[in-house]
Amino acid sequence: MNTSKLPLQLDAHWLVHEPARLAMMTFLVEQPRSFWEIKRELGLGDSTIHNHAARLEAVGYMAHRSVPSLGRTRTIFHLTRDGLAALSDYAITVSGVSAFLATAITCTSR
């Protein structure tokens, strides 16, 4: 899908709507999480996490930092304010669409 011609709001929703990105963003709402936590809790593969994190970081929705831990480096991800706002806006939009569809289905089934 070529998103270069979509209105900004639709483009933002498209970025959030993808299931792996939506799961990652939702998982990060409460607190920052490590790469391993995301992998373990969401069941995502390494390349999936890397690819989606890169897309979310490119638009400023997510950020990461590297933390030394027991001789290794842990990657910790967190949502940015823009990411939280985009997720919230997406949830409001989905809720509105759901309400509209429920009303439309009720009206047409009478």
Side-chain angles (χ1 to χ4, degrees), residues 21-40:
R21 288 192 287 267
L22 180 59
M24 288 171 66
M25 291 178 75
T26 302
F27 190 54
L28 294 172
V29 166
E30 292 179 354
Q31 64 186 22
R33 307 284 185 156
S34 71
F35 183 94
W36 173 246
E37 288 174 302
I38 293 170
K39 181 177 180 172
R40 184 187 66 221

Side-chain angles (χ1 to χ4, degrees), residues 24-91:
M24 288 171 66
M25 291 178 75
T26 302
F27 190 54
L28 294 172
V29 166
E30 292 179 354
Q31 64 186 22
R33 307 284 185 156
S34 71
F35 183 94
W36 173 246
E37 288 174 302
I38 293 170
K39 181 177 180 172
R40 184 187 66 221
E41 294 299 319
L42 301 180
L44 301 175
D46 292 4
S47 62
T48 301
I49 295 169
H50 284 293
N51 291 335
H52 291 300
R55 283 195 171 193
L56 291 169
E57 286 184 301
V59 296
Y61 288 177
M62 187 181 347
H64 78 276
R65 68 183 192 282
S66 297
V67 178
S69 175
L70 302 173
R72 303 181 120 192
T73 302
R74 286 184 21 185
T75 302
I76 307 295
F77 293 99
H78 69 274
L79 275 185
T80 63
R81 287 184 182 167
D82 288 345
L84 189 56
L87 187 59
S88 177
D89 185 58
Y90 175 77

